[in-house]
Amino acid sequence: MTPRLTVFAGLAAILSLAACSPASEPAAEDAAAAGEVNVYSARHYDVDQKLYEQFTEATGIKVNTIEGSAPQLIARMQSEGAASPADVFVAADAGALWRAQEAGLLSPVQSEALNAAIPENLREPEGRWFGFQRRARVVAYDAAKVQPAEIASYEDIASPRFRGQLCVRSSDNIYNLSLVGALIEAWGPEKTAEWARGIVANLARQPEGGDRDQIRAVDAGVCQIALTNSYYYIRMAAGDDAGDRAVTEKVKLAFPSLDGQGAHVNVSGAGVAANAPHREAAIRLLEFLASAEAQTLVSQENGEYPASPGVAAPEPTAAYADFAAHPMPVATYGPRQAEAQALMTAAGWR
Ligand code: FE
């Protein structure tokens, strides 16, 4: 069975289950409990609400969302303890998902539908979390001043060619921590520390703002290259803001390769809470998020790439989807976080 067919089979199962166990059934407490699911989400996108509505339509399960930053939600789940109403923890970046895992807040899920839909390198090996969308951490560059061949590798970004010409956000940002964690995994600490010193030598200014601000700084001539997650650029290129679209006429997106194996890839995803009061409904929601329909909708509206190899990125994302992705397991980034931060701080990366 192909992954896609398995997901459809999973969805059919969800639909038939929903059909024979209405939430109004008073005799069974479990049926009533399966009537809702509480999502603690560090993602704040309109498309996510749209997804939850589709899930409710398909299953009858109501989705309650509590939004916050990943650290806020993790602290909240910790203080709520065994009484936490959280069923599902949703976060961008494998490093944020790992923090919840490391705090003991996520429980392993065994699901054939999830294992079939999500490649092994994009989920936690025990099933504590699954990546549903991919993003690449890559380079936005001034097309008038930089040749794509000059930024073919991650080493290139730290090379003397770009002294004083790089914009990047702060070192404590989770996207940077995961990237540097991956570099440590690939290169070891010594070469990665040297790379971080090269990054600091290349800074056009002290780190400030988010990824979009770095892209805009390239447009403004502050720097020639910037590190950014792919979806920020794609949303600027395809969004409603004419100013943002104009930026992407001048600033282009390049996908450097790590050791010739492809660009550094991360995920956004979710896991089931260790004390989930609605565990069955939580697993059903994860299986829904893994469906081809859900992945396609998020890719189309949010500029992220589907996690499943069998799900093609739709437009406008498709125009930026033809790149090699490094196969490194995303679960390796989190355990390197502390080492990554220490190494960046030592290099002077604020
Ligand atoms: Fe982001």
Side-chain angles (χ1 to χ4, degrees), residues 43-124:
R43 278 172 60 100
H44 320 288
Y45 300 123
D46 294 344
V47 67
D48 289 12
Q49 282 306 326
K50 212 183 271 188
L51 274 183
Y52 300 150
E53 282 163 20
Q54 289 188 359
F55 173 71
T56 301
E57 242 170 71
T59 64
I61 299 170
K62 188 179 168 228
V63 180
N64 309 309
T65 52
I66 288 177
E67 295 192 351
S69 69
Q72 280 168 352
L73 295 173
I74 288 170
R76 180 166 175 164
M77 287 169 78
Q78 282 176 314
S79 69
E80 289 168 344
S84 175
D87 292 307
V88 173
F89 174 75
V90 175
D93 202 285
L97 292 161
W98 174 84
R99 285 178 182 176
Q101 169 196 338
E102 191 63 5
L105 298 171
L106 303 179
S107 102
V109 168
Q110 286 312 318
S111 156
E112 276 183 33
L114 287 172
N115 290 347
I118 308 302
E120 240 178 306
N121 69 314
L122 303 180
R123 51 181 154 95
E124 199 275 321

Side-chain angles (χ1 to χ4, degrees), residues 25 49 52 76 105 134 172 187 225-226:
E25 180 68 58
Q49 282 306 326
Y52 300 150
R76 180 166 175 164
L105 298 171
R134 298 177 299 137
D172 63 352
W187 295 342
I225 58 172

Side-chain angles (χ1 to χ4, degrees), residues 153-155 177-193 195 256-265 325-337 339-340 343:
S153 73
Y154 286 86
E155 284 95 333
L177 287 169
S178 287
L179 168 63
V180 175
L183 295 182
I184 296 171
E185 190 71 21
W187 295 342
E190 272 180 36
K191 177 174 172 177
T192 308
W195 181 86
S257 185
L258 176 54
D259 298 334
Q261 293 185 75
H264 166 73
V265 163
H326 197 288
M328 187 185 292
V330 298
T332 60
Y333 307 159
R336 298 285 192 190
Q337 244 171 57
E339 197 181 0
L343 178 156

